[in-house]
Amino acid sequence: MAVNKVIYDGATLVDLTGDTVTADNLAAGVKATGADGNPVVGLLPMVTIDAELSDASENPVQNKVINAAFSGLGNKMKYGFQSLSERIPEKLTDLENDADYITNDILLAKINSLAKVATSGNYADLINKPHKVTNVIMGQTVQGGIIPIPQGANRENCYYAVWISDLKQALKNVTRIVCKVNQASGRVVCVVTVEDDEGNVTSFTPTVNYLCMVYE
């Protein structure tokens, strides 16, 4: 018969009645005595506590391991966010050359060229010079006309802008305006469609102002 309490001469020598040990909360294989005085063998699976972080483990991780990982995070994030396993380069010579991006050699070449211009003041020393306007002419033409270019200029180096010179119609009657220029040929298209109060539709071609800019 199981005994869970022993009293001798009025004094309690053994009292297990308040114990909370059960097979479910005792580690597997560990033996104890329950509150009813009967033997208890633990069924709770043993758990391994990991000593380091791992993305493959299914075990709990020690608190001090997690704390150490977060403490080291600040040292690995210098000058901003980055991969924790890498370091942000601190100088150009640390950068690897990449065919798709401007890195070490290309960037250094551009900086050196800029430094040369800063000391020489010569526009010719610039790399990838921006376009500059060398000539501008203005005038008028009509539908189908071709904008002339300055003497010595090439058509491919010319850029145009066109707008109607004089509409000569009430805007409320105008139903469609086309005014454009072919940048490759310089040919102008300008047609205005007008509808009168009776619904009759007519078209006319107004005079066109043009601007021709030559870029180097």
Side-chain angles (χ1 to χ4, degrees), residues 141-160:
T141 186
V142 294
Q143 155 66 20
I146 295 179
I147 298 175
I149 62 175
Q151 185 175 3
N154 296 318
R155 182 69 69 178
E156 56 267 23
N157 292 337
C158 294
Y159 295 85
Y160 317 102

PDB file of all heavy atoms in Angstrom, residues 141-160:
ATOM      1  N   THR A 141       7.194  79.153 -91.461  1.00  0.00           N
ATOM      2  CA  THR A 141       7.007  78.266 -92.592  1.00  0.00           C
ATOM      3  C   THR A 141       5.529  77.877 -92.629  1.00  0.00           C
ATOM      4  O   THR A 141       4.721  78.407 -91.877  1.00  0.00           O
ATOM      5  CB  THR A 141       7.915  77.023 -92.503  1.00  0.00           C
ATOM      6  OG1 THR A 141       7.788  76.251 -93.699  1.00  0.00           O
ATOM      7  CG2 THR A 141       7.542  76.153 -91.317  1.00  0.00           C
ATOM      8  N   VAL A 142       5.161  76.961 -93.541  1.00  0.00           N
ATOM      9  CA  VAL A 142       3.766  76.545 -93.693  1.00  0.00           C
ATOM     10  C   VAL A 142       3.683  75.023 -93.650  1.00  0.00           C
ATOM     11  O   VAL A 142       4.706  74.327 -93.554  1.00  0.00           O
ATOM     12  CB  VAL A 142       3.185  77.061 -95.038  1.00  0.00           C
ATOM     13  CG1 VAL A 142       3.102  78.576 -95.029  1.00  0.00           C
ATOM     14  CG2 VAL A 142       4.034  76.567 -96.213  1.00  0.00           C
ATOM     15  N   GLN A 143       2.462  74.514 -93.717  1.00  0.00           N
ATOM     16  CA  GLN A 143       2.224  73.078 -93.754  1.00  0.00           C
ATOM     17  C   GLN A 143       3.080  72.427 -94.839  1.00  0.00           C
ATOM     18  O   GLN A 143       3.101  72.846 -95.984  1.00  0.00           O
ATOM     19  CB  GLN A 143       0.742  72.813 -94.013  1.00  0.00           C
ATOM     20  CG  GLN A 143       0.388  71.476 -94.664  1.00  0.00           C
ATOM     21  CD  GLN A 143       0.690  70.284 -93.761  1.00  0.00           C
ATOM     22  OE1 GLN A 143       0.820  70.424 -92.568  1.00  0.00           O
ATOM     23  NE2 GLN A 143       0.813  69.120 -94.352  1.00  0.00           N
ATOM     24  N   GLY A 144       3.818  71.378 -94.458  1.00  0.00           N
ATOM     25  CA  GLY A 144       4.668  70.654 -95.407  1.00  0.00           C
ATOM     26  C   GLY A 144       6.021  71.281 -95.630  1.00  0.00           C
ATOM     27  O   GLY A 144       6.877  70.690 -96.302  1.00  0.00           O
ATOM     28  N   GLY A 145       6.244  72.467 -95.069  1.00  0.00           N
ATOM     29  CA  GLY A 145       7.529  73.127 -95.241  1.00  0.00           C
ATOM     30  C   GLY A 145       8.631  72.439 -94.450  1.00  0.00           C
ATOM     31  O   GLY A 145       8.380  71.736 -93.469  1.00  0.00           O
ATOM     32  N   ILE A 146       9.866  72.639 -94.876  1.00  0.00           N
ATOM     33  CA  ILE A 146      11.018  72.047 -94.192  1.00  0.00           C
ATOM     34  C   ILE A 146      11.814  73.174 -93.523  1.00  0.00           C
ATOM     35  O   ILE A 146      12.206  74.148 -94.180  1.00  0.00           O
ATOM     36  CB  ILE A 146      11.912  71.266 -95.172  1.00  0.00           C
ATOM     37  CG1 ILE A 146      11.144  70.063 -95.726  1.00  0.00           C
ATOM     38  CG2 ILE A 146      13.183  70.793 -94.463  1.00  0.00           C
ATOM     39  CD1 ILE A 146      11.924  69.240 -96.724  1.00  0.00           C
ATOM     40  N   ILE A 147      12.040  73.031 -92.250  1.00  0.00           N
ATOM     41  CA  ILE A 147      12.782  74.046 -91.502  1.00  0.00           C
ATOM     42  C   ILE A 147      14.231  74.052 -91.978  1.00  0.00           C
ATOM     43  O   ILE A 147      14.892  73.008 -91.997  1.00  0.00           O
ATOM     44  CB  ILE A 147      12.714  73.757 -89.993  1.00  0.00           C
ATOM     45  CG1 ILE A 147      11.267  73.823 -89.514  1.00  0.00           C
ATOM     46  CG2 ILE A 147      13.585  74.727 -89.211  1.00  0.00           C
ATOM     47  CD1 ILE A 147      11.085  73.436 -88.057  1.00  0.00           C
ATOM     48  N   PRO A 148      14.748  75.205 -92.361  1.00  0.00           N
ATOM     49  CA  PRO A 148      16.142  75.268 -92.803  1.00  0.00           C
ATOM     50  C   PRO A 148      17.095  75.133 -91.618  1.00  0.00           C
ATOM     51  O   PRO A 148      16.703  75.327 -90.464  1.00  0.00           O
ATOM     52  CB  PRO A 148      16.231  76.656 -93.431  1.00  0.00           C
ATOM     53  CG  PRO A 148      15.214  77.455 -92.700  1.00  0.00           C
ATOM     54  CD  PRO A 148      14.088  76.514 -92.420  1.00  0.00           C
ATOM     55  N   ILE A 149      18.345  74.812 -91.918  1.00  0.00           N
ATOM     56  CA  ILE A 149      19.357  74.715 -90.864  1.00  0.00           C
ATOM     57  C   ILE A 149      20.482  75.693 -91.184  1.00  0.00           C
ATOM     58  O   ILE A 149      20.698  76.057 -92.345  1.00  0.00           O
ATOM     59  CB  ILE A 149      19.907  73.273 -90.739  1.00  0.00           C
ATOM     60  CG1 ILE A 149      20.599  72.832 -92.032  1.00  0.00           C
ATOM     61  CG2 ILE A 149      18.803  72.314 -90.358  1.00  0.00           C
ATOM     62  CD1 ILE A 149      21.264  71.464 -91.932  1.00  0.00           C
ATOM     63  N   PRO A 150      21.191  76.152 -90.167  1.00  0.00           N
ATOM     64  CA  PRO A 150      22.281  77.096 -90.405  1.00  0.00           C
ATOM     65  C   PRO A 150      23.365  76.499 -91.290  1.00  0.00           C
ATOM     66  O   PRO A 150      23.564  75.280 -91.323  1.00  0.00           O
ATOM     67  CB  PRO A 150      22.808  77.373 -88.992  1.00  0.00           C
ATOM     68  CG  PRO A 150      21.686  77.024 -88.081  1.00  0.00           C
ATOM     69  CD  PRO A 150      20.984  75.886 -88.738  1.00  0.00           C
ATOM     70  N   GLN A 151      24.070  77.349 -91.992  1.00  0.00           N
ATOM     71  CA  GLN A 151      25.138  76.892 -92.868  1.00  0.00           C
ATOM     72  C   GLN A 151      26.222  76.199 -92.056  1.00  0.00           C
ATOM     73  O   GLN A 151      26.646  76.674 -91.013  1.00  0.00           O
ATOM     74  CB  GLN A 151      25.740  78.087 -93.626  1.00  0.00           C
ATOM     75  CG  GLN A 151      26.789  77.686 -94.661  1.00  0.00           C
ATOM     76  CD  GLN A 151      27.270  78.887 -95.466  1.00  0.00           C
ATOM     77  OE1 GLN A 151      26.860  80.016 -95.213  1.00  0.00           O
ATOM     78  NE2 GLN A 151      28.126  78.640 -96.434  1.00  0.00           N
ATOM     79  N   GLY A 152      26.642  75.025 -92.511  1.00  0.00           N
ATOM     80  CA  GLY A 152      27.683  74.263 -91.836  1.00  0.00           C
ATOM     81  C   GLY A 152      27.160  73.289 -90.791  1.00  0.00           C
ATOM     82  O   GLY A 152      27.935  72.486 -90.258  1.00  0.00           O
ATOM     83  N   ALA A 153      25.864  73.379 -90.486  1.00  0.00           N
ATOM     84  CA  ALA A 153      25.296  72.474 -89.476  1.00  0.00           C
ATOM     85  C   ALA A 153      24.799  71.186 -90.118  1.00  0.00           C
ATOM     86  O   ALA A 153      24.509  71.149 -91.321  1.00  0.00           O
ATOM     87  CB  ALA A 153      24.145  73.159 -88.737  1.00  0.00           C
ATOM     88  N   ASN A 154      24.700  70.131 -89.331  1.00  0.00           N
ATOM     89  CA  ASN A 154      24.154  68.852 -89.788  1.00  0.00           C
ATOM     90  C   ASN A 154      22.740  68.682 -89.241  1.00  0.00           C
ATOM     91  O   ASN A 154      22.447  69.073 -88.107  1.00  0.00           O
ATOM     92  CB  ASN A 154      25.020  67.680 -89.294  1.00  0.00           C
ATOM     93  CG  ASN A 154      26.411  67.709 -89.882  1.00  0.00           C
ATOM     94  OD1 ASN A 154      26.582  67.986 -91.069  1.00  0.00           O
ATOM     95  ND2 ASN A 154      27.415  67.447 -89.045  1.00  0.00           N
ATOM     96  N   ARG A 155      21.863  68.102 -90.068  1.00  0.00           N
ATOM     97  CA  ARG A 155      20.469  67.931 -89.674  1.00  0.00           C
ATOM     98  C   ARG A 155      20.353  67.122 -88.373  1.00  0.00           C
ATOM     99  O   ARG A 155      19.503  67.418 -87.526  1.00  0.00           O
ATOM    100  CB  ARG A 155      19.708  67.235 -90.804  1.00  0.00           C
ATOM    101  CG  ARG A 155      18.226  67.028 -90.584  1.00  0.00           C
ATOM    102  CD  ARG A 155      17.431  68.311 -90.591  1.00  0.00           C
ATOM    103  NE  ARG A 155      17.356  68.947 -91.902  1.00  0.00           N
ATOM    104  CZ  ARG A 155      16.688  70.059 -92.149  1.00  0.00           C
ATOM    105  NH1 ARG A 155      16.036  70.659 -91.156  1.00  0.00           N
ATOM    106  NH2 ARG A 155      16.680  70.607 -93.339  1.00  0.00           N
ATOM    107  N   GLU A 156      21.233  66.116 -88.177  1.00  0.00           N
ATOM    108  CA  GLU A 156      21.124  65.277 -86.986  1.00  0.00           C
ATOM    109  C   GLU A 156      21.516  66.020 -85.703  1.00  0.00           C
ATOM    110  O   GLU A 156      21.223  65.559 -84.598  1.00  0.00           O
ATOM    111  CB  GLU A 156      21.982  64.008 -87.123  1.00  0.00           C
ATOM    112  CG  GLU A 156      23.446  64.265 -87.402  1.00  0.00           C
ATOM    113  CD  GLU A 156      23.754  64.273 -88.893  1.00  0.00           C
ATOM    114  OE1 GLU A 156      22.833  64.509 -89.687  1.00  0.00           O
ATOM    115  OE2 GLU A 156      24.923  64.018 -89.247  1.00  0.00           O
ATOM    116  N   ASN A 157      22.170  67.163 -85.831  1.00  0.00           N
ATOM    117  CA  ASN A 157      22.548  67.947 -84.656  1.00  0.00           C
ATOM    118  C   ASN A 157      21.559  69.075 -84.376  1.00  0.00           C
ATOM    119  O   ASN A 157      21.829  69.932 -83.531  1.00  0.00           O
ATOM    120  CB  ASN A 157      23.949  68.543 -84.825  1.00  0.00           C
ATOM    121  CG  ASN A 157      25.024  67.476 -84.828  1.00  0.00           C
ATOM    122  OD1 ASN A 157      24.828  66.390 -84.306  1.00  0.00           O
ATOM    123  ND2 ASN A 157      26.165  67.776 -85.426  1.00  0.00           N
ATOM    124  N   CYS A 158      20.426  69.087 -85.094  1.00  0.00           N
ATOM    125  CA  CYS A 158      19.444  70.160 -84.945  1.00  0.00           C
ATOM    126  C   CYS A 158      18.212  69.667 -84.175  1.00  0.00           C
ATOM    127  O   CYS A 158      17.766  68.532 -84.351  1.00  0.00           O
ATOM    128  CB  CYS A 158      19.010  70.677 -86.321  1.00  0.00           C
ATOM    129  SG  CYS A 158      20.334  71.497 -87.233  1.00  0.00           S
ATOM    130  N   TYR A 159      17.687  70.532 -83.345  1.00  0.00           N
ATOM    131  CA  TYR A 159      16.460  70.265 -82.611  1.00  0.00           C
ATOM    132  C   TYR A 159      15.485  71.410 -82.872  1.00  0.00           C
ATOM    133  O   TYR A 159      15.903  72.572 -82.963  1.00  0.00           O
ATOM    134  CB  TYR A 159      16.737  70.145 -81.108  1.00  0.00           C
ATOM    135  CG  TYR A 159      17.603  68.964 -80.768  1.00  0.00           C
ATOM    136  CD1 TYR A 159      18.994  69.062 -80.834  1.00  0.00           C
ATOM    137  CD2 TYR A 159      17.043  67.752 -80.399  1.00  0.00           C
ATOM    138  CE1 TYR A 159      19.801  67.976 -80.531  1.00  0.00           C
ATOM    139  CE2 TYR A 159      17.834  66.660 -80.095  1.00  0.00           C
ATOM    140  CZ  TYR A 159      19.220  66.778 -80.172  1.00  0.00           C
ATOM    141  OH  TYR A 159      20.000  65.689 -79.876  1.00  0.00           O
ATOM    142  N   TYR A 160      14.204  71.077 -83.012  1.00  0.00           N
ATOM    143  CA  TYR A 160      13.223  72.075 -83.449  1.00  0.00           C
ATOM    144  C   TYR A 160      12.077  72.201 -82.448  1.00  0.00           C
ATOM    145  O   TYR A 160      11.763  71.281 -81.705  1.00  0.00           O
ATOM    146  CB  TYR A 160      12.634  71.685 -84.809  1.00  0.00           C
ATOM    147  CG  TYR A 160      13.645  71.188 -85.801  1.00  0.00           C
ATOM    148  CD1 TYR A 160      13.776  69.824 -86.055  1.00  0.00           C
ATOM    149  CD2 TYR A 160      14.469  72.068 -86.494  1.00  0.00           C
ATOM    150  CE1 TYR A 160      14.710  69.351 -86.955  1.00  0.00           C
ATOM    151  CE2 TYR A 160      15.400  71.609 -87.405  1.00  0.00           C
ATOM    152  CZ  TYR A 160      15.529  70.245 -87.634  1.00  0.00           C
ATOM    153  OH  TYR A 160      16.447  69.788 -88.528  1.00  0.00           O
TER     154      TYR A 160
END
